[in-house]
Amino acid sequence: MPAHVAETPRETLQGTPHEASEGTPAPPDDSAYRSLYHRAADPEGVFPVASWSRGIRTELGRLAGNRNAPDDLDNLRSGVTAWADVERRRYRALRKGEARTAAVLSGRAALACAPFATQVGAWLQWTTSPGNADDPAALALLRLYASDVGVGHPRASRGSAYVSVLRDAGLAEYAVPASRLALDRRIADRDFYVPALLLGMSRLPDDFLPEILGADLCLRAVGPLPPLAAVGPSAPGSTKYTGNSGNCEDTEDSGQETDAAGDDRWDTVRSCLDSLDCDVYPSGRVAEGFLWAWGALRRWSDALYEDLTHAQDPSYAMAELLRARAREGSAYHHRYRLAGRPLSDWLRECRHDPADFLTALAASDLVRPGRSRASRLVNGLVLERGPMFRVFSTADLTVIRRWIDSLPTGDAPSPVGPAQPPAESCPMPPPLRSREKPEPDAGPAPTDLRSAYYLLQHRPQTPALGRYATGYLRGWLARARHGIDRDPRALPPAWPADGLRPWLQSEHERHHQDWESGLGTPLPTRAELIDSTVQLAPLTLIDGAWLQGFTDYELASSEHGYFLFETYWDELGNGVPHLNHPRVYRQVLAGMGVELPPTASPEFARWPGFEDRSFALPVYWLCIGRYPQTFLPEVLGLNLAMELSGVGGGYRRAHEALQTHGFSTRFVDLHNTIDNVATGHSAWAADAVDAFMASVLKTHGTDRQAAAWRRVRTGYRSLDPPTGWGAQWAARWARRPGRQRPGGEVSGT
């Protein structure tokens, strides 16, 4: 979660999932790719899967052409690396000019790179899902992704590093969250094309995995975007930016920023490609993704370089400013005449071509060519008592002053420079239809718990799955709320003033006492133990699924989300197959003589050895994992309950039972250590809750904090909600349309 979302959890406290990016206002629809970027940045968005897939597929083929070079990736790597070196040299040359011009070009280049650079690596965010979390290739990609987001530390992602570059340069007003970046009109539409397609593919990993990997290979070979060479030391902090392949050390002598990490990444992705099913993913699709990324970068870089070349002329930025402000300004100034025409007429004309107005303005008494300090346009008119006070921002005034100072004095004609780049300099592709509303009945709908288990393991949020998931969550959480104040094992009624750590220690001691008091209790028989282990498989083989939403790029490195992503990362063994919890559990089952189908397959969900009730809690995990923002308080509570549930007691008893019957105890031993209450997952979970509650108090005060705590308590109890008649009635009532109140509370409970 972005830091400002964590600190101001307005949407989070609503408890109502949204569709298609309702959390931030939609950007003006000037570019389909700007809009696609805005929507694809939403981790809870409902997407028109079929139309997105068709549109992206068409665009990939259009730019990649008809080349099919599956065995030529190493040659392609050499080519793209050489191209990137040449590009850096020509961008670096732009810094050789006058200091003020170099600073202007630096700022423009930094903003142009922002849509991509703030999302470096985000295209891998959904390549791991509950169903493939034990697959070695998926785990290898998760390791790469974890390095991109800086696992274990807040705001440590490569994108966050670039946000700090923008912040140091005074350009970060719209930098977070990514959906808000699409509102920054200083960034051209063309700058959203590459990252928008990458984000769009990231939301459809089942459709575009080979192309994602091919694009990843290309982008890692490129290294830091070549236009960043124009930023250099002109933007404070720019050399801190961690680029695609490692630290971007900007030097005059070397244009190639690569390191051993980049080589390792290339080898890792290449090995993942070897594991792809060729019948499902033909090898040519990897090359298509690579070639699309390279072609798109070349086109974008050429257009941006031309833009920066034009921007060396101060009249270029002045013309841009006039086009941007002319619409609002044309509503005024009907009486003021300039060169015999009302100023409002001039401004209406400026919306299309400001060249003539620039000539007239330069010759007027508002401007003293070469002397901005003596010009009324940026002095008397904009001062406190002037008629245009606060009409121009500080950045606007800098543009105007630079233009005035560039005007020749005396009788020499005033050059106006290019009013805008030639139309052919930035040929945009046909617009992708990204703003259409999701089809009302798109996607299959679950018909029972087993089909829900299978369908919910797929990442894209179709309308049918969204309706099912939110209905299931309303009912489940209503059960968890029912009678919560009468439950002696619920979280305290109010958030403790000293945080949850003391309470955590007390609960751990209670678990130990329960274990000691049950030492004489007979252990389950061998058959009972095998059956209980089998019935837990649908749950345990998707270990961490309640946290799957925190693989989202911005959430994984946010103030609260980094705790949760690190926990998810640990549940999957830090990307190492022999430490992966689902794989370890399958080894336990194999020792019992039980071989199950792949977790994400329909055969698994329909396996006759499972009871239907064994899917109830797993489906809840899969549902709530889709809403990491909307249900953040409940996820935090559930995570605390889950991590604490077996520590000190349940895992120890399970160890005894497994050991007695000759089965491996590795799974329960692993959890009893990594979930410990001092430095393990239980401690992380408590700290995450405390950090969240403190931020709510700081931002919203005690009333909202109390509401947030009620939801955390509900989430904690939701691991094992009551099943009596009253709780079932509350669940049915909650699932009725229109019964949900803001804050996730349901009337009548």
Side-chain angles (χ1 to χ4, degrees):
M1 179 186 314
H4 84 279
V5 176
E7 294 169 0
T8 312
R10 185 178 304 276
E11 290 78 24
T12 294
L13 295 179
Q14 293 302 311
T16 304
H18 60 285
E19 292 192 0
S21 303
E22 291 181 0
T24 55
D29 194 18
D30 293 341
S31 163
Y33 294 101
R34 186 186 293 267
S35 175
L36 175 61
Y37 185 91
H38 178 268
R39 290 188 61 185
D42 181 1
E44 297 182 2
V46 178
F47 310 123
V49 174
S51 60
W52 274 27
S53 184
R54 288 193 301 269
I56 293 173
R57 177 71 57 205
T58 298
E59 187 58 26
L60 291 175
R62 190 183 71 81
L63 267 191
N66 296 319
R67 291 182 59 188
N68 183 359
D71 300 321
D72 213 15
L73 290 175
D74 290 322
N75 288 335
L76 288 174
R77 181 188 190 186
S78 298
V80 76
T81 300
W83 167 81
D85 290 346
V86 172
E87 287 294 281
R88 287 192 187 91
R89 284 195 290 271
R90 71 167 178 162
Y91 276 105
R92 188 174 290 112
L94 293 175
R95 298 197 336 237
K96 304 293 187 182
E98 180 263 335
R100 189 160 59 165
T101 298
V104 169
L105 301 186
S106 173
R108 293 177 74 93
L111 284 171
C113 293
F116 179 94
T118 58
Q119 297 293 300
V120 169
W123 47 86
L124 296 181
Q125 60 191 344
W126 277 8
T127 53
T128 305
S129 64
N132 71 3
D134 59 352
D135 178 72
L139 295 177
L141 294 177
L142 183 62
R143 288 199 304 274
L144 298 181
Y145 181 65
S147 70
D148 285 333
V149 299
V151 61
H153 304 281
R155 300 177 183 173
S157 70
R158 291 176 172 173
S160 296
Y162 195 77
V163 170
S164 72
V165 172
L166 296 177
R167 188 173 292 114
D168 289 346
L171 300 172
E173 299 93 319
Y174 295 86
V176 289
S179 57
R180 191 164 181 253
L181 192 65
L183 303 174
D184 193 339
R185 308 312 296 183
R186 298 170 300 178
I187 302 174
D189 296 334
R190 65 163 183 268
D191 301 327
F192 289 95
Y193 171 72
V194 174
L197 265 291
L198 289 168
L199 286 177
M201 285 191 285
S202 81
R203 300 305 188 191
L204 302 172
D206 292 344
D207 291 350
F208 293 105
L209 180 59
E211 291 82 0
I212 291 171
L213 297 184
D216 184 87
L217 288 174
C218 175
L219 296 168
R220 303 297 165 168
V222 169
L225 293 174
L228 289 173
V231 177
S234 299
S238 61
T239 56
K240 296 186 299 184
Y241 171 56
T242 301
N244 301 19
S245 61
N247 292 328
C248 176
E249 297 296 339
D250 184 67
T251 68
E252 296 295 329
D253 301 323
S254 173
Q256 183 175 355
E257 290 92 356
T258 60
D259 59 10
D263 293 334
D264 290 345
R265 186 175 190 109
W266 178 273
D267 293 339
T268 298
V269 176
R270 287 298 301 268
S271 66
C272 291
L273 296 177
D274 295 337
S275 68
L276 293 180
D277 186 338
C278 293
D279 293 331
V280 178
Y281 300 122
S283 57
R285 290 176 56 184
V286 177
E288 183 179 47
F290 191 111
L291 291 167
W292 165 79
W294 190 6
L297 281 179
R298 284 201 306 266
R299 185 187 62 191
W300 169 74
S301 185
D302 286 344
L304 177 58
Y305 183 82
E306 183 172 3
D307 174 81
L308 296 181
T309 301
H310 287 310
Q312 294 179 91
D313 185 341
S315 64
Y316 181 78
M318 184 64 178
E320 280 190 321
L321 174 61
L322 288 171
R323 277 194 297 272
R325 303 296 299 277
R327 181 176 182 179
E328 61 200 54
S330 63
Y332 305 94
H333 311 300
H334 295 278
R335 296 182 181 180
Y336 185 85
R337 302 182 74 83
L338 183 71
R341 295 177 58 188
L343 182 56
S344 57
D345 289 353
W346 281 112
L347 292 175
R348 277 191 289 271
E349 185 178 291
C350 283
R351 294 178 63 182
H352 306 289
D353 187 355
D356 290 341
F357 176 66
L358 278 175
T359 301
L361 183 60
S364 73
D365 61 0
L366 297 176
V367 170
R368 294 289 182 266
R371 300 164 56 204
S372 61
R373 293 185 179 182
S375 298
R376 291 174 56 212
L377 182 60
V378 288
N379 286 311
L381 294 180
V382 299
L383 296 181
E384 182 177 346
R385 296 183 180 275
M388 298 180 69
F389 178 59
R390 293 290 175 84
V391 169
F392 296 117
S393 68
T394 301
D396 293 340
L397 292 174
T398 299
V399 169
I400 299 171
R401 291 189 181 104
R402 179 172 174 253
W403 171 70
I404 294 174
D405 289 338
S406 73
L407 295 174
T409 58
D411 297 330
S414 300
V416 297
Q420 57 185 350
E424 65 273 13
S425 69
C426 183
M428 285 299 291
L432 183 68
R433 295 179 61 199
S434 62
R435 289 188 63 79
E436 61 186 80
K437 293 182 178 179
E439 302 91 332
D441 298 315
T447 56
D448 58 14
L449 282 173
R450 291 175 182 260
S451 64
Y453 183 83
Y454 167 68
L455 291 171
L456 287 167
Q457 290 186 66
H458 297 274
R459 285 282 202 164
Q461 179 79 309
T462 64
L465 283 179
R467 286 192 293 271
Y468 181 91
T470 54
Y472 197 90
L473 285 172
R474 285 198 299 269
W476 193 281
L477 293 173
R479 284 172 51 206
R481 280 189 295 271
H482 182 75
I484 191 171
D485 290 331
R486 299 189 298 273
D487 186 348
R489 298 198 173 186
L491 283 174
W495 178 50
D498 53 353
L500 283 173
R501 283 297 191 115
W503 172 88
L504 190 67
Q505 293 289 345
S506 297
E507 284 297 292
H508 182 246
E509 291 169 1
R510 182 178 63 78
H511 287 188
H512 172 69
Q513 292 167 3
D514 289 347
W515 173 75
E516 282 189 329
S517 63
L519 286 177
T521 305
L523 294 172
T525 66
R526 183 182 181 88
E528 290 171 339
L529 179 62
I530 292 175
D531 181 66
S532 65
T533 304
V534 167
Q535 298 310 319
L536 281 174
L539 186 77
T540 311
L541 292 179
I542 58 167
D543 203 0
W546 67 94
L547 300 175
Q548 64 174 315
F550 290 90
T551 60
D552 182 83
Y553 190 74
E554 291 185 302
L555 303 186
S557 61
S558 67
E559 290 293 338
H560 304 315
Y562 88 92
F563 276 116
L564 303 176
F565 177 75
E566 187 175 11
T567 300
Y568 181 81
W569 165 244
D570 256 15
E571 300 291 355
L572 301 188
N574 308 123
V576 179
H578 75 270
L579 295 176
N580 177 263
H581 295 183
R583 292 177 70 88
V584 173
Y585 199 78
R586 280 187 177 271
Q587 292 166 5
V588 175
L589 289 168
M592 296 176 173
V594 179
E595 296 289 342
L596 296 174
T599 310
S601 67
E603 292 78 16
F604 183 94
R606 294 299 174 192
W607 193 67
F610 295 136
E611 299 177 14
D612 287 347
R613 62 183 176 85
S614 297
F615 291 94
L617 182 57
V619 167
Y620 169 61
W621 281 8
L622 291 169
C623 287
I624 202 167
R626 288 174 172 262
Y627 299 104
Q629 292 175 307
T630 299
F631 288 102
L632 174 60
E634 288 84 358
V635 170
L636 289 169
L638 170 62
N639 185 57
L640 177 60
M642 190 60 224
E643 300 302 343
L644 181 61
S645 59
V647 177
Y651 291 141
R652 295 162 79 179
R653 181 168 175 79
H655 173 99
E656 294 172 7
L658 290 165
Q659 187 177 56
T660 297
H661 295 296
F663 299 124
S664 170
T665 64
R666 185 162 177 253
F667 183 83
V668 293
D669 294 344
L670 191 65
H671 278 76
N672 199 47
T673 56
I674 67 171
D675 291 348
N676 74 82
V677 298
T679 60
H681 291 186
S682 295
W684 297 356
D687 291 346
V689 172
D690 286 341
F692 171 73
M693 293 303 299
S695 70
V696 175
L697 177 62
K698 177 182 176 181
T699 307
H700 294 294
T702 55
D703 289 344
R704 292 292 291 275
Q705 186 192 51
W709 180 247
R710 287 196 296 272
R711 295 182 59 190
V712 172
R713 294 182 78 210
T714 298
Y716 182 84
R717 197 170 186 237
S718 70
L719 180 63
D720 186 20
T723 58
W725 179 88
Q728 296 294 340
W729 180 87
R732 288 194 296 271
W733 188 256
R735 297 185 70 162
R736 293 177 60 186
R739 299 309 301 175
Q740 191 166 15
R741 291 176 175 171
E745 298 188 76
V746 178
S747 61
T749 63

